[in-house]
Amino acid sequence: MPLVSVVMATYNGSLYLAQQMESVVAQSYPNIEIIVVDDCSTDNTIEILKSFQLQYPHIKIIRKQQNLGYIKNFEKGCGLASGEYIAVCDQDDVWHADKIIKMQAAIGSYPLIYCDSVLCDEDLQPIGVNISDRGNCRDYNNPLQQAIFCRIYGHATLIKRDFLQKVIPFLEVIPHDWWLSYMATLYGGIKYLNEPLVNY
């Protein structure tokens, strides 16, 4: 199966990091590399990451000596990815075990696919609402649909690397996931997988 690169940008705020890492290494998809770019964290983020790296050698940790900000930090991680597909994740979401395998199977000819997410409280417990309950989740092919307001969140996406290489560098005035969603409508459109595969 094609290699999938999971890209995480870390910073101070490690409250949910262990749960997030556990959900990534537990993915049922068999061919994954994990790239973590740490943006000068000063808490115990690195210690948590290294504890996982000892158990899972396919985790790569890159520590930045200068703060890049989250947009450029994600851009740096995506640029280091060698997978045919790239999945970005945040420190406050937990992936369902079959997230990657289902999204990779469904992406087809689209440059980007996104799934639904279960909204959770501060203890990562579901509150009975999904993102799809608060917005119009569907396939998109018009950039105007993304230019006004974007409800496609990075943690719920899978992106083809050949598309990603065409849209780097990321525009810095909007979040990276908004930029990727907007640009995807210009390179073949956005596919929606109508299934919640992340606790967010």
Side-chain angles (χ1 to χ4, degrees):
M1 299 184 84
L3 179 66
V4 173
S5 300
V6 176
V7 174
M8 178 186 291
T10 59
Y11 39 84
N12 282 346
S14 59
L15 183 60
Y16 307 108
L17 181 57
Q19 294 99 311
Q20 166 63 5
M21 291 298 296
E22 287 167 3
S23 74
V24 172
V25 298
Q27 287 295 298
S28 60
Y29 192 87
N31 192 17
I32 294 176
E33 69 171 0
I34 301 169
I35 298 169
V36 185
V37 183
D38 183 71
D39 203 16
C40 304
S41 63
T42 56
D43 59 3
N44 64 336
T45 292
I46 291 296
E47 287 72 22
I48 293 171
L49 293 172
K50 285 184 175 179
S51 71
F52 278 91
Q53 189 181 47
L54 288 173
Q55 302 175 68
Y56 305 98
H58 60 292
I59 298 175
K60 303 171 187 175
I61 303 171
I62 295 91
R63 297 189 72 178
K64 302 305 298 177
Q65 300 304 312
Q66 181 177 0
N67 187 272
L68 298 176
Y70 77 97
I71 294 173
K72 286 299 176 181
N73 208 30
F74 271 114
E75 180 185 295
K76 177 68 175 177
C78 289
L80 295 169
S82 54
E84 185 176 336
Y85 300 91
I86 297 169
V88 297
C89 60
D90 301 314
Q91 289 180 233
D92 59 350
D93 54 83
V94 173
W95 292 3
H96 299 189
D98 52 0
K99 175 181 183 281
I100 289 178
I101 201 165
K102 287 185 174 182
M103 296 187 77
Q104 193 274 333
I107 193 169
S109 61
Y110 288 85
L112 184 151
I113 187 172
Y114 73 110
C115 64
D116 201 357
S117 301
V118 178
L119 294 177
C120 297
D121 62 19
E122 61 185 14
D123 297 316
L124 292 178
Q125 295 303 306
I127 62 172
V129 179
N130 292 348
I131 284 181
S132 60
D133 296 321
R134 296 187 172 179
N136 186 14
C137 292
R138 58 184 176 86
D139 296 356
Y140 291 103
N141 57 17
N142 187 325
L144 291 178
Q145 295 164 325
Q146 301 304 314
I148 298 170
F149 188 73
C150 178
R151 280 200 179 272
I152 299 175
Y153 301 97
H155 71 265
T157 62
L158 183 70
I159 307 154
K160 289 185 177 175
R161 185 169 179 260
D162 59 355
F163 156 69
L164 186 68
Q165 291 174 327
K166 296 172 184 174
V167 299
I168 286 179
F170 295 164
L171 196 65
E172 292 188 70
V173 295
I174 59 174
H176 62 286
D177 40 12
W178 287 36
W179 171 247
L180 289 168
S181 299
Y182 177 84
M183 294 304 292
T185 62
L186 304 177
Y187 286 93
I190 299 168
K191 176 70 176 176
Y192 174 56
L193 179 58
N194 186 18
E195 186 173 354
L197 297 173
V198 185
N199 284 9
Y200 177 56

